[in-house]
Amino acid sequence: MSTVDASDASGGVQAAAATDTSNYLTASRGIASWMFTRDHKRIGIMYLVGILTAFFLAGIFALLVRTELLTAGRTIMDADTYNKFFTFHGVIMVFLVIIPGVPAALGNFVLPIMLGAKDVAFPRINLLSFYLWCGGAIFLLCSLVMGGLDTGWTFYAPYSTISKEPIYGVIPALLAVFVVGFSSIFTGLNFVVTIHKLRRPEMGWFDMPLFVFGIYATGIIQILATPVIGITGLLLIIERVAKIGIFTASMGGDPVLFQHFFWFYSHPAVYIMILPAMGVMSEIISVFSHKHIFGYKFIAFSSLAIALLGFLVWGHHLFVAGQSGLVSMIFSALTFAVAIPSAIKVFNWLATMYKGSITLETPMIYALSFIWIFGIGGLTGLFLGTLAVDVPLHDTYFVVAHFHYVMAGTIFVFIGGLFYWWPKMTGKMYKELWGRLGALIFFVGYNMTFFTQFIIGLKGMPRRYYDYEKLIDVIPGIAGLHMFSSIGSYVMAVGLLMTGFCLLQSLFRGRKAPDNPWGGASLEWRTTSPPPLENFNEEPHVGDPYDFSDLEWDKEIGGYVSTGIRKPATGH
Amino acid sequence: MNALLGQIGLLSARLLAQGSDRGWMPKQRSTIAPEVDAIFDFILVVSVFFFLLIVGAALYFIIRYHRREGDPMPGGVTHNMPLELLWSGIPVVLVCIMFWWGFKVFVDMRTPPDNAYEISVRAQQWSWEFWYPNGISYDELHVPANQPVKLVMTSEDVLHSFYVPEFRVKMDVIPGRYTTTWFEALYDDEGSNEYPLICAEYCGTDHSSMITKVVVHTDDGFVDWLANADPLAAIPEELWPEYEKDPDKFIKDHPEIKGLKTPALMGQKLYKRKGCSQCHSIDGTRVTGPSFLGIYGKQEEMEDGTTVTVDANYIEESILNPNAKVVKTYPRGQMNSYQGRITDREIAMLIEYIKSLGQK
């Protein structure tokens, strides 16, 4: 037992024993205490369970898709089944896993604690968000049962408006996107208000951990962009049901209009996915370098710059879609503008590591993997943002590889963040060896799978191809490349399963976690592991979140303790 | 600026390009391909440099600054304005070059020269149809080399995308509007001059088999091909009854009409050229539409319960108005009307072909 201030620790423990609120997990019992909870930590855990289940399911779909592509011709399924499987992989990963992943699961848990608050601003809406997420997941299951969905996650018209029977999986899937969208809007709104109103009074904007800035920028996008996808989905449903021409040429609509509407949300959504992950990166890199983050304000403002510029680049998905040349030029220029703040973040992380005191626990392995993965994802974006080069590469495997490298950046950081805050969430330590090994195998498998796809794309193979038999003669080596890529996906699966077992094992057999196992300085490391019901046993002392000078390693506890002398908060 | 771009282009081309066959990318077989690849190479050099810099620095730091037990918490600088401006400024300059260069070449890729030879393209699930100025249509794209070719494209149903990797050309084909693209193919004295033409925009079940080919001809070769591409169209109006009456004799008497065969064999060619083969098998396999094997003369139950005999009239109606009578258990709305895209002669040949596949 060690809390921030040793003199108060015993008092805290005694109070806890009496009311049983010293640990949010044991504060109340029974299934109803979880289902109707308003505790942001429990809601975060429920999100985590839901998201990991969805991640598992989407992973199964991905493995089936890769297995079909293991050999040319039919391997295990027919074309229609393949088209449904890659669609479900995409829809689940985007809407149920990556978009809510870091903010709703990890953010829910740590954001209020980082701010020194007892909970989010609207705890009931927070619970509603979670149930809306569940509702979306149920609609998606309906779509799976009702004939499936084979439009790709992009729902492009007129394929989505005129193909197949009028009911069919398109409508429940769009309702799923609509409902999950509200979950996302409410989460964003809740976090933005929480950051404005529930910060400790002495905590200024620039005393907040950078993860909070990431979540704040994300919240702005969630609130402003998500309604557009909801309305677009409704328009598509109306068109399908009432036969009113909006996006369908044969009814007088315009298919390219749908693409504009769709990407007006779905491009900013990429930043909904990546900004919180970049926030986690800033935490992990600084804490495991045991050194103050470099260029705090540049990292913070680059998040806001990405959020704002991210709204203005959607047209780069339409360079060969019949959009005017002038418009394409403007979107290309803006796309390059958004590359700069991302580069700034990477350089600042490296500068943080420079002359640091670096340890390589599992979260740091994931953070370093992110630099590699996101480095490749970001740099290959330069090819696609360049107008002339995008023309041959658009809609090929090059694009598939590019966006997997970007989005998997988020997955790597999500898992890294999970390991980072796992001791805080569960009160248990995992086995470092298995965590690291799982991370390395996942990393190797990931690169085997997706780096290969850059080459497949450069050779000219389009995406969403069930079969490449017809391409074997014209694209040399394509069969071997696909087989290698598929084998990589199995390696990835082994790494992820190992990671899952490592975390599960810790729940049952894990050593008890100290309050501050890594030497973090932000407020979540200055309360108990796991935290009490209302997060702090005594009023937290706000300081510079990246000032580690008061922390000392305590061998007996196996964690860091504060010596009590900290730089005070600036209050700005 | 242009001079600078030229210099960089030359430099990166020397660094990377191995002539026009670069192994890991499709051959450069259009005039624009080397220009696109020069930009690609420039971005590749920049990317590889920055990737090695970033990863190299990270690896060096974790080894050099590894924490040992008892090490003090490092202090050090936490911000440095000149450094921030430097590592923001350098990427800004580099991406400006990428943007401008890419834009310049893109404008060329989108602007067909005035003297371009025009071919119109109709895409449908899951076949391509190319219409030439002399009114004939074909399922492969044949083009003259060393001459700009402009494509005016539209779709009969959903989105498709015209893509020829060797030409570095791609443009979506959209229902309800016309999109255009152009290229100037190069003739390869040693190669086959045939390249894959691929649908790059997801269009449903058989998206991955919506592949045909581009054939590049010399000037003379193209004129020759065009004259003989459609033997049916080459038969003069007044001689048509003669061909219908006794095809074998007609073919013998008129050797000047190259490639002319019996109606059933002509129909067999059309079955592939018109895209029928994408949805109707000839071996009894059930695909999107009913198989043609043994269908002629058969009694088929329609979705409204009525029964129809598959005869010449029904086949003609189903080609021109596919949704008038749909066979039970088959999806409605899958096929588009061929009205205006098929001649009476071609319909007659297709009927003969279906007949030849067996009769009940």
Side-chain angles (χ1 to χ4, degrees):
Chain A
M1 266 305 130
S2 87
T3 45
V4 182
D5 197 329
S7 62
D8 284 356
S10 54
V13 170
Q14 275 168 13
T19 59
D20 203 28
T21 55
S22 68
N23 175 346
Y24 79 101
L25 290 168
T26 54
S28 52
R29 290 184 187 279
I31 189 124
S33 77
W34 281 83
M35 284 182 68
F36 302 109
T37 183
R38 294 191 297 276
D39 180 7
H40 67 97
K41 297 182 287 303
R42 286 192 169 195
I43 294 171
I45 297 288
M46 291 197 290
Y47 258 120
L48 185 65
V49 172
I51 287 166
L52 290 177
T53 311
F55 182 42
F56 183 76
L57 196 65
I60 300 280
F61 279 122
L63 286 176
L64 289 169
V65 162
R66 274 322 313 176
T67 304
E68 175 51 46
L69 294 169
L70 190 64
T71 61
R74 184 193 164 106
T75 308
I76 51 166
M77 62 182 95
D78 62 20
D80 282 329
T81 313
Y82 173 84
N83 293 344
K84 284 174 190 167
F85 283 6
F86 79 65
T87 301
F88 276 102
H89 168 70
V91 173
I92 296 174
M93 281 307 290
V94 169
F95 293 107
L96 294 184
V97 182
I98 307 185
I99 287 178
V102 177
L106 302 179
N108 239 324
F109 194 96
V110 295
L111 179 92
I113 313 182
M114 279 180 160
L115 297 172
K118 287 179 182 173
D119 208 315
V120 293
F122 309 113
R124 285 183 181 85
I125 291 182
N126 199 19
L127 185 66
L128 175 66
S129 292
F130 171 70
Y131 283 113
L132 285 172
W133 182 91
C134 294
I138 289 168
F139 271 120
L140 213 55
L141 283 180
C142 289
S143 146
L144 194 61
V145 178
M146 289 165 66
L149 177 75
D150 68 342
T151 59
W153 79 277
T154 46
F155 298 100
Y156 269 15
Y159 189 74
S160 56
T161 54
I162 58 173
S163 68
K164 311 281 163 54
E165 296 76 15
I167 296 297
Y168 184 57
V170 173
I171 292 174
L174 286 167
L175 287 173
V177 171
F178 186 83
V179 172
V180 171
F182 268 97
S183 158
S184 187
I185 295 170
F186 288 156
T187 302
L189 192 69
N190 219 336
F191 288 173
V192 167
V193 176
T194 306
I195 293 166
H196 272 281
K197 306 304 286 184
L198 297 188
R199 292 197 321 269
R200 299 281 312 164
E202 64 273 30
M203 185 186 278
W205 279 95
F206 299 115
D207 296 319
M208 301 194 309
L210 285 162
F211 177 63
V212 179
F213 261 104
I215 292 283
Y216 186 80
T218 309
I220 292 172
I221 312 177
Q222 285 174 307
I223 296 166
L224 294 179
T226 317
V228 179
I229 190 82
I231 291 165
T232 308
L234 284 189
L235 287 176
L236 211 148
I237 292 173
I238 290 170
E239 179 162 36
R240 245 188 115 86
V241 175
K243 304 282 174 219
I244 298 167
I246 302 165
F247 307 126
T248 310
S250 57
M251 296 190 274
D254 180 4
V256 181
L257 180 68
F258 177 84
Q259 298 179 30
H260 279 288
F261 283 4
F262 180 83
W263 290 111
F264 186 86
Y265 165 76
S266 297
H267 198 81
V270 174
Y271 300 108
I272 295 179
M273 304 178 202
I274 201 76
L275 280 171
M278 288 170 156
V280 178
M281 278 295 288
S282 301
E283 301 305 312
I284 295 180
I285 292 280
S286 174
V287 167
F288 290 89
S289 301
H290 300 90
K291 178 165 165 274
H292 196 287
I293 192 86
F294 189 89
Y296 178 100
K297 286 191 181 173
F298 269 82
I299 296 181
F301 283 119
S302 65
S303 289
L304 297 175
I306 290 173
L308 297 178
L309 287 171
F311 274 101
L312 305 173
V313 302
W314 79 89
H316 68 213
H317 297 266
L318 282 76
F319 287 162
V320 299
Q323 169 180 271
S324 90
L326 177 69
V327 171
S328 293
M329 182 199 97
I330 294 166
F331 278 121
S332 172
L334 289 164
T335 301
F336 280 116
V338 87
I340 305 299
S342 304
I344 290 174
K345 281 183 193 282
V346 174
F347 291 134
N348 278 300
W349 294 328
L350 287 175
T352 304
M353 289 168 66
Y354 174 68
K355 290 196 171 171
S357 181
I358 301 168
T359 54
L360 292 176
E361 284 90 354
T362 309
M364 188 62 167
I365 303 276
Y366 277 102
L368 293 168
S369 303
F370 176 88
I371 291 182
W372 173 288
I373 298 273
F374 184 74
I376 294 177
L379 289 167
T380 51
L382 297 174
F383 295 88
L384 298 170
T386 306
L387 286 162
V389 180
D390 179 66
V391 172
L393 296 181
H394 179 82
D395 261 333
T396 67
Y397 265 86
F398 191 91
V399 173
V400 176
H402 159 71
F403 73 71
H404 275 93
Y405 266 94
V406 173
M407 293 190 189
T410 304
I411 290 291
F412 272 88
V413 173
F414 174 61
I415 302 174
L418 190 57
F419 273 95
Y420 178 56
W421 283 303
W422 188 259
K424 189 55 63 181
M425 291 173 144
T426 63
K428 296 291 170 70
M429 294 303 288
Y430 57 88
K431 284 253 189 306
E432 204 56 72
L433 175 70
W434 292 104
R436 285 174 184 164
L437 209 56
L440 284 176
I441 295 173
F442 179 38
F443 177 77
V444 169
Y446 198 88
N447 286 289
M448 282 173 72
T449 306
F450 290 107
F451 199 83
T452 317
Q453 295 184 7
F454 281 121
I455 301 164
I456 296 174
L458 281 178
K459 287 177 178 290
M461 179 164 169
R463 61 193 288 204
R464 295 175 170 175
Y465 260 35
Y466 160 67
D467 185 19
Y468 48 90
E469 189 119 56
K470 282 190 167 182
L471 295 172
I472 283 184
D473 293 335
V474 289
I475 303 182
I478 195 163
L481 288 167
H482 269 293
M483 182 172 279
F484 188 77
S485 177
S486 292
I487 293 170
S489 71
Y490 305 141
V491 175
M492 231 194 305
V494 170
L496 283 173
L497 282 177
M498 223 154 148
T499 304
F501 282 124
C502 169
L503 290 176
L504 278 179
Q505 193 265 356
S506 78
L507 282 184
F508 300 105
R509 301 247 170 120
R511 163 171 80 82
K512 192 183 163 344
D515 292 349
N516 191 356
W518 318 123
S522 44
L523 292 182
E524 81 271 29
W525 304 113
R526 296 177 187 275
T527 183
T528 53
S529 293
L533 184 62
E534 294 191 329
N535 297 342
F536 297 96
N537 286 321
E538 69 271 354
E539 274 201 11
H541 300 290
V542 179
D544 183 334
Y546 300 104
D547 171 27
F548 306 108
S549 55
D550 67 316
L551 296 170
E552 258 177 19
W553 175 254
D554 186 326
K555 238 183 192 163
E556 269 169 47
I557 303 168
Y560 287 81
V561 287
S562 172
T563 53
I565 313 141
R566 301 188 68 200
K567 239 200 296 192
T570 62
H572 296 308
Chain B
M1 189 75 186
N2 287 352
L4 177 69
L5 290 183
Q7 281 302 311
I8 295 165
L10 264 174
L11 185 72
S12 46
R14 281 205 199 110
L15 275 173
L16 280 153
Q18 307 145 9
S20 60
D21 295 333
R22 359 202 297 148
W24 48 290
M25 268 163 91
K27 292 171 182 167
Q28 300 168 333
R29 286 293 176 264
S30 70
T31 50
I32 204 78
E35 293 189 44
V36 174
D37 291 359
I39 313 175
F40 180 92
D41 293 342
F42 168 66
I43 303 174
L44 189 63
V45 170
V46 172
S47 299
V48 168
F49 172 78
F50 275 95
F51 183 70
L52 292 178
L53 182 79
I54 291 164
V55 171
L59 286 176
Y60 176 74
F61 293 162
I62 50 181
I63 296 164
R64 173 72 179 74
Y65 304 116
H66 192 75
R67 181 175 180 82
R68 281 172 209 85
E69 215 181 310
D71 279 0
M73 293 292 182
V77 192
T78 60
H79 55 268
N80 183 316
M81 190 54 105
L83 200 56
E84 298 280 358
L85 292 180
L86 182 73
W87 67 41
S88 314
I90 292 172
V92 166
V93 173
L94 289 170
V95 298
C96 281
I97 297 172
M98 290 174 198
F99 160 72
W100 185 251
W101 195 358
F103 170 59
K104 243 170 58 78
V105 175
F106 183 69
V107 170
D108 292 341
M109 294 167 96
R110 282 184 68 110
T111 319
D114 293 336
N115 63 340
Y117 181 81
E118 197 173 307
I119 298 172
S120 65
V121 181
R122 300 186 89 102
Q124 65 174 0
Q125 288 170 321
W126 293 277
S127 61
W128 297 94
E129 214 179 343
F130 303 95
W131 291 79
Y132 295 84
N134 66 352
I136 72 147
S137 77
Y138 214 74
D139 65 330
E140 291 166 0
L141 178 60
H142 289 253
V143 294
N146 305 318
Q147 187 187 338
V149 173
K150 176 185 174 185
L151 302 177
V152 179
M153 311 188 287
T154 192
S155 165
E156 296 291 320
D157 38 45
V158 300
L159 298 173
H160 302 280
S161 192
F162 174 93
Y163 178 34
V164 180
E166 275 76 3
F167 294 171
R168 309 289 189 272
V169 161
K170 183 182 289 118
M171 182 48 101
D172 282 6
V173 185
I174 301 163
R177 65 158 90 179
Y178 291 94
T179 53
T180 58
T181 187
W182 79 280
F183 55 84
E184 185 177 331
L186 301 172
Y187 194 78
D188 183 358
D189 290 322
E190 281 144 36
S192 66
N193 285 295
E194 291 184 3
Y195 311 108
L197 189 165
I198 299 170
C199 177
E201 182 66 62
Y202 175 69
C203 59
T205 311
D206 285 333
H207 172 48
S208 67
S209 56
M210 193 167 158
I211 299 176
T212 180
K213 60 184 174 190
V214 196
V215 182
V216 181
H217 296 276
T218 56
D219 265 1
D220 292 347
F222 181 70
V223 172
D224 199 41
W225 174 84
L226 195 61
N228 297 303
D230 189 358
L232 286 179
I235 303 172
E237 194 59 47
E238 62 276 13
L239 294 181
W240 181 255
E242 209 177 300
Y243 169 72
E244 279 199 304
K245 212 170 109 194
D246 189 349
D248 290 326
K249 180 169 176 294
F250 184 88
I251 294 162
K252 216 176 284 167
D253 292 351
H254 295 275
E256 78 277 7
I257 304 174
K258 284 180 199 155
L260 188 62
K261 295 196 173 90
T262 61
L265 287 175
M266 294 308 299
Q268 183 178 24
K269 283 194 162 177
L270 290 169
Y271 163 74
K272 197 183 152 282
R273 252 176 55 193
K274 292 285 173 187
C276 317
S277 57
Q278 291 290 348
C279 302
H280 300 276
S281 79
I282 48 168
D283 58 2
T285 319
R286 186 191 164 113
V287 271
T288 311
S291 174
F292 287 165
L293 181 71
I295 203 176
Y296 195 84
K298 199 172 159 191
Q299 303 269 327
E300 286 276 26
E301 195 187 348
M302 299 292 120
E303 51 176 20
D304 61 2
T306 56
T307 307
V308 166
T309 307
V310 181
D311 55 8
N313 284 329
Y314 176 71
I315 295 174
E316 181 171 4
E317 184 187 34
S318 297
I319 291 172
L320 298 177
N321 189 6
N323 292 315
K325 294 176 188 137
V326 179
V327 178
K328 200 170 183 174
T329 75
Y330 283 92
R332 158 171 290 273
Q334 247 336 294
M335 181 171 161
N336 299 300
S337 166
Y338 274 80
Q339 194 88 50
R341 294 194 287 148
I342 194 163
T343 63
D344 291 347
R345 288 177 183 187
E346 288 168 333
I347 294 176
M349 300 301 107
L350 277 168
I351 291 170
E352 286 307 315
Y353 174 57
I354 294 171
K355 249 188 214 173
S356 75
L357 291 171
Q359 196 165 330
K360 259 214 158 158

